[in-house]
Amino acid sequence: MNKTLKCILWMVVLVFIGYKSIYFKKLHSMKAVNTGNFNAAAYASNYLNITLPGLMGKAIPVDRLLADLQSAPQKTFDTYSNALDIGTIRFFWVKGRGRVVSVNEENVTLQTDSMHAIINIATEYVFGNAVRDATGLIHINDFGSTADLNNISAEINKLIRRQVLPPFKAKAKKGDEIEFSGAVELNSAHLDVAGSEFIPVSLKIMR
């Protein structure tokens, strides 16, 4: 095979590889795939009922969180908190036990086991992005639009209101010992744990 024929054959091969490797697709069609077909309800159900129970080992015990916030607040935020946005609002993935000291229409107040600190568990108004963002598993670049991200939070909160809270509210009373997991939103610039509500992912009455 002469040199000229070899060159022609190599050019044919390179053209064929280039043709198969490069293709063009309209941007709006990609957005349609990322947003129009996204099932936020299914995603939220899987996240709440399958993903989060498997992450209990990574949740910070609430008494350790409270102690660390007292002794080294900024280090605690840097070590344990997550958020999708840059700013002072951060979210913590927590677990713990405590005894019910009061029950009202909006929350249940617990005294924690070790530190005997007073915290509030939300039982009526469950909104915001705390549960979505606290674990750090969900990233903004994984989704085609902010609407998808907002819909995830809305669906997670809806499931908590429908699945987690009703059976607990029907039985919880003062004096019960509670085991819980969930998320809490805290502001590193204006830290106020007592004024915050923990959003529950699981609530178990131990008696």
Side-chain angles (χ1 to χ4, degrees):
M1 186 180 295
N2 61 44
K3 188 175 181 180
T4 303
L5 181 58
K6 286 183 179 178
C7 289
I8 293 173
L9 288 174
W10 273 112
M11 289 180 66
V12 170
V13 170
L14 290 173
V15 169
F16 178 78
I17 292 174
Y19 176 78
K20 287 294 186 181
S21 300
I22 301 172
Y23 66 95
F24 298 94
K25 196 169 185 178
K26 292 181 179 179
L27 181 59
H28 69 80
S29 67
M30 292 296 293
K31 290 181 177 178
V33 170
N34 289 335
T35 59
N37 295 332
F38 179 66
N39 188 332
Y43 186 98
S45 178
N46 184 77
Y47 182 72
L48 186 70
N49 297 312
I50 298 176
T51 302
L52 291 185
L55 293 177
M56 290 300 296
K58 295 185 177 181
I60 180 172
V62 65
D63 281 320
R64 185 198 301 172
L65 173 63
L66 299 175
D68 288 357
L69 286 172
Q70 286 184 358
S71 61
Q74 190 55 55
K75 181 180 178 181
T76 304
F77 273 88
D78 293 342
T79 304
Y80 297 111
S81 72
N82 290 291
L84 294 186
D85 300 321
I86 297 174
T88 59
I89 302 297
R90 308 288 295 179
F91 305 96
F92 293 85
W93 171 230
V94 298
K95 61 183 177 183
R97 293 174 71 123
R99 194 165 296 280
V100 176
V101 295
S102 68
V103 178
N104 61 48
E105 292 182 355
E106 297 182 5
N107 56 51
V108 168
T109 301
L110 301 182
Q111 185 177 50
T112 65
D113 265 3
S114 301
M115 288 190 66
H116 304 297
I118 299 298
I119 63 170
N120 294 314
I121 305 290
T123 56
E124 182 65 25
Y125 301 109
V126 176
F127 298 103
N129 301 318
V131 176
R132 184 196 69 185
D133 295 354
T135 62
L137 286 181
I138 296 177
H139 304 283
I140 193 168
N141 292 330
D142 295 340
F143 300 90
S145 73
T146 54
D148 289 345
L149 283 168
N150 293 336
N151 289 336
I152 290 171
S153 283
E155 293 295 336
I156 290 172
N157 294 335
K158 186 187 299 181
L159 288 172
I160 291 171
R161 291 193 294 269
R162 288 179 177 175
Q163 295 181 5
V164 178
L165 296 180
F168 175 76
K169 292 171 67 175
K171 296 180 179 179
K173 63 181 185 301
K174 183 178 179 179
D176 286 344
E177 187 174 9
I178 304 299
E179 185 176 88
F180 70 94
S181 66
V184 63
E185 172 186 321
L186 294 174
N187 188 333
S188 62
H190 305 283
L191 185 57
D192 179 17
V193 177
S196 299
E197 282 190 326
F198 289 68
I199 306 299
V201 167
S202 66
L203 286 164
K204 186 175 181 180
I205 299 175
M206 309 301 291
R207 300 296 186 193

